Amino acid sequence: MAMIDGEHYAPVVRDALVELPYDIVGCVLVGGTEKLRGGEDYGVPLLASLEEAVAELSPDVVLDLSDEPVLGPPARFRLAARALALGIPYEGADFRFDPPRFEAIARPSIAIIGTGKRVGKTAVTGHVAGELARERNVVVVAMGRGGPPEPELVEVRPTVADLLRISRSGMHAASDHLETAALTGVLTIGCRRCGGGLAGAVGTSNVLAGVRLAEELDPDLIVLDGSGAALPPIAADRRILVVGAHQDLAVTTGYLNPYRALLADLIIVTMAESGVAHRELATAMTALARPGVPVVRVVLRPRPLEDVRGRRVAYFGTAPGTQHARIAEHLERTYGGEVVHVSGSLSDRAALRSELVGLDCDVIVVEIKAAAIDVVAEEAARMDVPVVLAANDVLPLAGEPELDAELGRLANEATASATVGV
């Protein structure tokens, strides 16, 4: 089927439909009136919308025969996102987008996907896994750019000493699966991926093998943790999209992120701090998503896994400098530590090493990200300063939908959907 416009003279479009190497079964007029006289005949049925055309005609591909000024780049990406969400490739004169392939699995599943790196997706995964594991047997399958060559089952909650041993063996000790296992204690399987497309397809991954390992454990629910903007290549029964309020609105709502929004059964807007346009983002995501999909705005707050009360604390994370005072205040007010240093440099090893020189503190509290283990924990061991791992609590803003109730709903729906699939 073809997307056409009224800025093209109808006979030109009609001839193109015949000349192009496709069997065109229908068209959708996307706009433009300059060259329309009324009563135009394109030689094929004209339908009202992309969704109606796909439902009625079951095309193999959507062909874009429109152009500026009717369809500029943002509008084209929106149409492409809608086509991909329907499982149909979207093709134009010099481009083609194919929907990512998702493999079917036997167990109920929820996937956590994101619009980019450092949006708090792993924190959300930890919250989802921890909350749902209260009443269910949950296994997390995490995918990362630093994951193991073969799926790795973590059955025992890793300690700082365990993570140091992993790092010293040459492995990435701050991989997402290790973070989730260390912070939640939920059974976690680590996988790897390389590459990611605009729609979130991975170049290569061993996630399916990781899921097969998870299925052998006979869980009630598998939680699939995506990687950056890359999607787990699994046909999850339900999906949660994590969007960072600190991201550029043109990015979070543009390109093929509308496709991610259309996949979502729940959208969580993280970093919804004062002074950030999180309300505008939530409104925009509501408009992009399917009708009725809840959008919940949350903030992330660090939580040391051990008592730091009365101790001088140096905190290492990934938050930008604008959040450092808020982090320090939270750690002091909630956990009773005296914060003497806050760093957001875990992704910058050179900056970290500079900050660690001469650091005077009783304890280092650190997120399990990037260089947390191979630089921060290693230097702390040399300095003989104890290290406490930090989780990030996911806290909805006042008046938002009840997050944990929504998670319970999704888990129930995923179970029912998987049962129907069987």
Side-chain angles (χ1 to χ4, degrees):
M1 58 159 289
M3 312 302 288
I4 62 175
D5 67 43
E7 300 297 310
H8 286 80
Y9 189 41
V12 173
V13 175
R14 188 170 57 245
D15 289 346
L17 297 179
V18 175
E19 294 167 10
L20 290 168
Y22 300 92
D23 177 18
I24 305 296
V25 293
C27 291
V28 173
L29 186 67
V30 295
T33 60
E34 181 178 307
K35 294 180 177 64
L36 296 183
R37 299 181 180 181
E40 281 75 16
D41 178 12
Y42 294 100
V44 294
L46 197 62
L47 292 101
S49 71
L50 170 63
E51 287 75 14
E52 178 184 324
V54 169
E56 184 170 328
L57 304 173
S58 300
D60 298 311
V61 63
V62 175
L63 181 63
D64 185 341
L65 285 181
S66 183
D67 196 358
E68 296 277 6
V70 178
L71 288 186
R76 275 183 155 168
F77 272 112
R78 293 279 179 92
L79 274 175
R82 288 163 58 190
L84 297 184
L86 295 168
I88 310 295
Y90 189 85
E91 182 177 317
D94 58 4
F95 63 87
R96 179 183 169 101
F97 295 115
D98 287 286
R101 277 190 61 188
F102 298 117
E103 298 286 346
I105 62 174
R107 304 303 301 169
S109 59
I110 295 176
I112 317 298
I113 64 177
T115 52
K117 190 175 175 68
R118 299 283 184 259
V119 297
K121 179 184 53 56
T122 306
V124 170
T125 295
H127 181 87
V128 171
E131 176 62 25
L132 297 181
R134 296 176 189 274
E135 299 180 356
R136 298 169 178 84
N137 178 18
V138 173
V139 175
V140 176
V141 177
M143 165 176 94
R145 282 167 274 209
E150 299 296 332
E152 176 183 77
L153 173 61
V154 183
E155 299 181 85
V156 178
R157 193 171 192 157
T159 64
V160 174
D162 295 328
L163 297 176
L164 278 169
R165 280 194 294 271
I166 292 170
S167 176
R168 289 165 182 168
S169 73
M171 302 296 288
H172 180 45
S175 195
D176 288 351
H177 73 290
L178 295 171
E179 176 182 356
T180 298
L183 300 181
T184 69
V186 174
L187 284 178
T188 304
I189 295 171
C191 301
R192 62 164 49 172
R193 64 97 175 180
C194 186
L198 289 175
V202 295
T204 64
S205 85
N206 56 7
V207 172
L208 183 58
V211 168
R212 297 302 182 221
L213 176 58
E215 289 177 323
E216 294 176 5
L217 302 172
D218 195 27
D220 298 320
L221 182 72
I222 296 174
V223 174
L224 301 156
D225 184 14
S227 173
L231 311 179
I234 303 298
D237 296 294
R238 292 295 182 270
R239 291 185 177 92
I240 299 171
L241 175 62
V242 182
V243 187
H246 64 297
Q247 294 180 283
D248 185 343
L249 187 65
V251 173
T252 54
T253 62
Y255 303 96
L256 289 180
N257 275 327
Y259 168 64
R260 293 173 175 84
L262 287 167
L263 291 182
D265 300 285
L266 170 66
I267 297 175
I268 299 178
V269 175
T270 58
M271 286 78 162
E273 306 286 355
S274 59
V276 179
H278 52 79
R279 187 181 299 276
E280 292 85 343
L281 175 57
T283 299
M285 298 310 296
T286 298
L288 291 176
R290 290 176 283 113
V293 170
V295 177
V296 182
R297 292 173 293 159
V298 305
V299 295
L300 305 179
R301 293 291 182 265
R303 172 171 50 85
L305 298 192
E306 300 175 29
D307 187 15
V308 297
R309 188 170 304 277
R311 305 163 80 183
R312 290 175 302 144
V313 174
Y315 177 82
F316 289 84
T318 57
T322 54
Q323 300 301 316
H324 290 183
R326 184 176 281 115
I327 289 170
E329 190 273 336
H330 176 74
L331 289 171
E332 291 183 345
R333 185 187 73 250
T334 307
Y335 298 103
E338 178 192 349
V339 178
V340 298
H341 182 77
V342 176
S343 170
S345 302
L346 283 182
S347 297
D348 187 338
R349 283 171 167 78
L352 275 181
R353 292 188 174 96
S354 176
E355 292 178 37
L356 287 162
V357 172
L359 184 64
D360 184 16
C361 62
D362 300 323
V363 61
I364 290 176
V365 177
V366 64
E367 291 183 315
I368 310 177
K369 302 286 187 188
I373 306 303
D374 63 288
V375 175
V376 177
E378 281 287 6
E379 182 62 17
R382 190 194 66 78
M383 297 163 54
D384 196 27
V385 174
V387 172
V388 171
L389 302 178
N392 274 299
D393 287 335
V394 180
L395 307 175
L397 301 186
E400 292 296 281
E402 177 55 48
L403 177 58
D404 292 344
E406 294 296 339
L407 299 181
R409 173 184 64 82
L410 291 185
N412 291 336
E413 291 176 357
T415 301
S417 176
T419 302
V420 169
V422 172

